[in-house]
Amino acid sequence: MKPLGAIAFFVSSLRSSRSNKIRRLLNSFHKMSAQAGTPTTQNLLSYHIDRLKSSPNQCLLLDGGTGEELFLHGVPDDRKIWSATAIIHDKYHSTLERVHRSFIEAGSQAITTNSYGIIPGVGFTDGEEVKRLMGIAGEIARRSVTTDSGTASALVLGSLGPLVESYRPDLIMNHEDGVRCYQYGIQGLNPHVDVYLAETMSCLEEACQVIDALSTLQQGVNESDDKLFQKRPLLVSFTLRSDGNLRSGESVVVAIPKMVSFSIEREVERECSIAIGIFSLFDCCRSIFFHAYFKFHTVIGILFNCCEPEAITKAIREIVSNPQIHQYLHHPPSVSSSKSSHYTTLDTQSSKIFLGAYANKLTPVDPSWTMASSDGAQPMRSDLSPAKYWENFVRHWNNGDGRDDGGIGGIQMIGGCCGIGPSHISYLRDNLRSNVSSNSQ
């Protein structure tokens, strides 16, 4: 067998094997950890992931549109750098912290860093400066979720937005430049976040640049044993046209399998370097590598954001009508939990993803729109109150009990984007609780 073939076979064996030897190695690792005083209880991220896996009725409540809330609290709406004003100017840091906490108090179980506007497209071209500003955004978010006792009250999602313009797949960077620029943001956010969030991705290529950037950095960590860079999973969120397709015109049922396959492909390349090293290590070290292999996976969810909620509903219904992609999902829409185990074509459950949605309150955006050319903020809709957002959209996205009332289900990460404020989140919190309760009866 050729060397590359042998490595591929070894990695394939790792994916499918549940041998007693690996179990013994993992058990040894856990015993060693306990003896060394390492906590064995799950952290907050693991808790939420396990909870979401346990039932399609479980939900992770995200925050709303931080940028628009900042403007309501007196931060200037800069048409060039947008909400990054609150990062650049120290005097707005306390305002940003208050906005983060307002969402947590409303019920958000995860908040998003205010790093969306720190991009080359608006003039942040110095990589070290991007890292520094991203770090400030992450530090403020982390401080916002930290309680007096030092524990975390919510997850921190590290926002990685489009590098040039939102909604414009025709303006994205070439792959190599995009990967390089996203790495600056990832490195700046890394010490402070639980999960990266590539949001408002307008096409598959834009999202793949983030995956490539993260995968390359992770591989560098494996090779250099960099203790300062921590492995974090990734959520990818696409923005949609009014017809439910990506802004590029790509169908969501085409994008999801390609996204998962690309992530797995990049993961395998990274794991090959780990596998080579395993053969030359002592057994105790080997167990640590196996533990890392089974515990860390790059993309854990695909979401839809910064678009009309009607577009998200169309995208979800397309997913419903294409059961061939249900194999990629932990809980396929309109598929009861008793049937979910049928979709097991992928190598392992760990390759499956969650679905999520956080719509905006904006009126439809022109396809040629750019932030730089806009005279002011996009007008808001008047028909998306907290009650309307829940009743007309979120209730159906999250309702997986099969009742004949338009419920779709399967959407487990829910929040809001531009214009969706703490009052919306509070309303969702109260009604999602009752929704979970009624579905469990």
Side-chain angles (χ1 to χ4, degrees):
M1 183 180 293
K2 294 181 179 179
L4 288 179
I7 293 172
F9 174 78
F10 179 78
V11 173
S12 176
S13 298
L14 285 180
R15 287 190 177 279
S16 59
S17 175
R18 295 294 185 271
S19 68
N20 290 331
K21 182 177 181 180
I22 291 177
R23 289 195 186 96
R24 287 196 300 271
L25 289 169
L26 289 176
N27 288 334
S28 298
F29 173 80
H30 288 303
K31 289 178 181 178
M32 291 165 57
S33 296
Q35 292 169 359
T38 303
T40 58
T41 56
Q42 293 176 318
N43 60 26
L44 189 58
L45 176 60
S46 297
Y47 164 76
H48 283 303
I49 289 178
D50 289 345
R51 183 171 60 80
L52 295 179
K53 285 181 179 179
S54 70
S55 169
N57 296 327
Q58 291 292 327
C59 178
L60 180 69
L61 185 57
L62 311 179
D63 59 2
T66 300
E68 297 297 333
E69 281 299 304
L70 286 170
F71 305 147
L72 291 175
H73 283 74
V75 176
D77 182 359
D78 190 311
R79 287 286 91 190
K80 184 178 180 182
I81 62 174
W82 199 53
S83 65
T85 301
I87 300 299
I88 294 175
H89 300 289
D90 295 356
K91 63 180 180 180
Y92 296 123
H93 288 182
S94 60
T95 303
L96 174 56
E97 193 169 336
R98 285 198 303 272
V99 168
H100 282 322
R101 286 181 174 166
S102 70
F103 281 116
I104 296 171
E105 291 167 1
S108 294
Q109 296 166 309
I111 62 166
T112 306
T113 60
N114 184 46
S115 50
Y116 185 90
I118 307 172
I119 57 171
V122 296
F124 297 104
T125 55
D126 183 333
E128 292 305 313
E129 180 69 357
V130 169
K131 289 181 190 178
R132 185 184 74 83
L133 294 173
M134 286 281 195
I136 292 173
E139 184 178 355
I140 293 172
R142 176 55 60 188
R143 190 163 62 240
S144 301
V145 305
T146 302
T147 66
D148 293 339
S149 63
T151 59
S153 59
L155 298 175
V156 175
L157 310 183
S159 174
L160 297 163
L163 296 172
V164 183
E165 285 280 356
S166 300
Y167 320 128
R168 295 295 299 270
D170 56 318
L171 298 180
I172 67 171
M173 291 185 174
N174 65 54
H175 192 82
E176 182 178 348
D177 289 342
V179 168
R180 175 176 52 82
C181 289
Y182 274 123
Q183 286 181 338
Y184 296 138
I186 291 170
Q187 290 172 315
L189 290 169
N190 183 263
H192 311 289
V193 304
D194 299 294
V195 182
Y196 300 110
L197 173 61
E199 55 180 343
T200 323
M201 300 286 99
S202 60
C203 62
L204 186 60
E205 165 58 23
E206 193 169 29
C208 286
Q209 291 178 11
V210 182
I211 293 177
D212 227 349
L214 180 56
S215 178
T216 302
L217 283 173
Q218 301 284 17
Q219 183 171 347
V221 171
N222 291 329
E223 293 172 351
S224 66
D225 195 28
D226 184 356
K227 297 295 191 302
L228 298 179
F229 189 91
Q230 300 296 315
K231 294 181 178 181
R232 315 287 188 203
L234 172 69
L235 296 170
V236 175
S237 189
F238 292 104
T239 178
L240 306 173
R241 303 188 315 194
S242 59
D243 62 1
N245 290 326
L246 308 191
R247 299 278 179 174
S248 59
E250 296 166 288
S251 166
V252 295
V253 297
V254 173
I256 288 176
K258 287 185 177 180
M259 163 98 343
V260 175
S261 297
F262 184 79
S263 175
I264 292 174
E265 176 185 317
R266 297 300 287 126
E267 191 88 357
V268 168
E269 289 180 17
R270 181 160 56 79
E271 286 157 2
C272 283
S273 67
I274 300 175
I276 294 172
I278 287 175
F279 292 113
S280 63
L281 297 172
F282 294 105
D283 283 352
C284 63
C285 296
R286 186 183 305 157
S287 68
I288 296 175
F289 274 98
F290 276 120
H291 177 77
Y293 173 84
F294 284 115
K295 287 295 184 184
F296 179 78
H297 305 278
T298 304
V299 177
I300 60 174
I302 291 180
L303 302 85
F304 307 111
N305 83 294
C306 212
C307 53
E308 306 143 67
E310 293 88 349
I312 293 176
T313 298
K314 291 177 182 178
I316 299 171
R317 292 197 180 281
E318 187 172 6
I319 293 171
V320 171
S321 62
N322 286 269
Q324 71 273 16
I325 70 167
H326 292 178
Q327 62 174 302
Y328 298 95
L329 311 175
H330 283 294
H331 302 294
S334 285
V335 177
S336 68
S337 57
S338 62
K339 297 180 181 179
S340 295
S341 60
H342 173 72
Y343 300 98
T344 55
T345 304
L346 289 184
D347 289 339
T348 65
Q349 276 288 112
S350 61
S351 299
K352 294 179 183 289
I353 59 170
F354 301 105
L355 288 179
Y358 54 114
N360 65 25
K361 194 182 172 184
L362 302 178
T363 53
V365 177
D366 188 278
S368 62
W369 180 91
T370 62
M371 175 73 76
S373 64
S374 61
D375 296 327
Q378 183 75 9
M380 295 286 177
R381 295 170 57 158
S382 60
D383 61 346
L384 211 58
S385 66
K388 292 292 185 183
Y389 187 41
W390 163 258
E391 186 64 29
N392 295 340
F393 303 105
V394 175
R395 181 176 69 88
H396 304 296
W397 300 343
N398 182 251
N399 179 7
D401 66 354
R403 290 181 299 181
D404 194 17
D405 63 351
I408 304 171
I411 307 304
Q412 295 184 277
M413 298 180 177
I414 295 176
C417 203
C418 305
I420 301 298
S423 61
H424 290 81
I425 299 303
S426 177
Y427 197 93
L428 296 186
R429 174 198 60 197
D430 295 342
N431 285 277
L432 282 168
R433 284 175 179 170
S434 62
N435 205 42
V436 169
S437 177
S438 64
N439 286 346
S440 62
Q441 294 176 357

